[in-house]
Amino acid sequence: MTYANKRGKLAEFEQLAEMAGAINERKLNADQAQSLAHMRKAINYVQQYIEYDNDIAGELAAHELKQATMVLGGARHG
């Protein structure tokens, strides 16, 4: 990935991080708040993955997204 491509991708994830940071947790139920926390972690890991070519951060991002989805899936079916 070229430097310009990395900067563009990082800018996209910086916007996502800002959007996720702006969500008011007090308006969410417990499952939604927990899912949001996992999503915020995933965004951070993706940024590390892009910026540093860190494969471990990529794996951690995938894990956090899986956790976020499982929390919401359990909330819907539980």
Side-chain angles (χ1 to χ4, degrees):
M1 185 180 295
T2 67
Y3 180 77
N5 287 344
K6 279 187 181 184
R7 295 297 341 142
K9 290 291 180 194
L10 283 172
E12 289 177 36
F13 279 94
E14 286 169 4
Q15 286 180 327
L16 285 174
E18 286 179 26
M19 290 168 57
I23 296 172
N24 184 349
E25 292 95 355
R26 286 180 258 165
K27 293 185 178 182
L28 304 176
N29 67 36
D31 289 330
Q32 291 169 328
Q34 184 179 5
S35 182
L36 177 62
H38 286 296
M39 286 184 218
R40 287 176 175 164
K41 287 181 188 176
I43 290 168
N44 185 326
Y45 287 134
V46 170
Q47 288 173 310
Q48 291 176 33
Y49 175 73
I50 293 168
E51 190 164 7
Y52 304 112
D53 294 323
N54 183 336
D55 289 338
I56 294 171
E59 292 175 24
L60 290 170
H63 173 76
E64 291 297 336
L65 287 173
K66 181 179 178 184
Q67 293 298 317
T69 324
M70 288 173 53
V71 168
L72 291 179
R76 266 194 311 240
H77 298 106

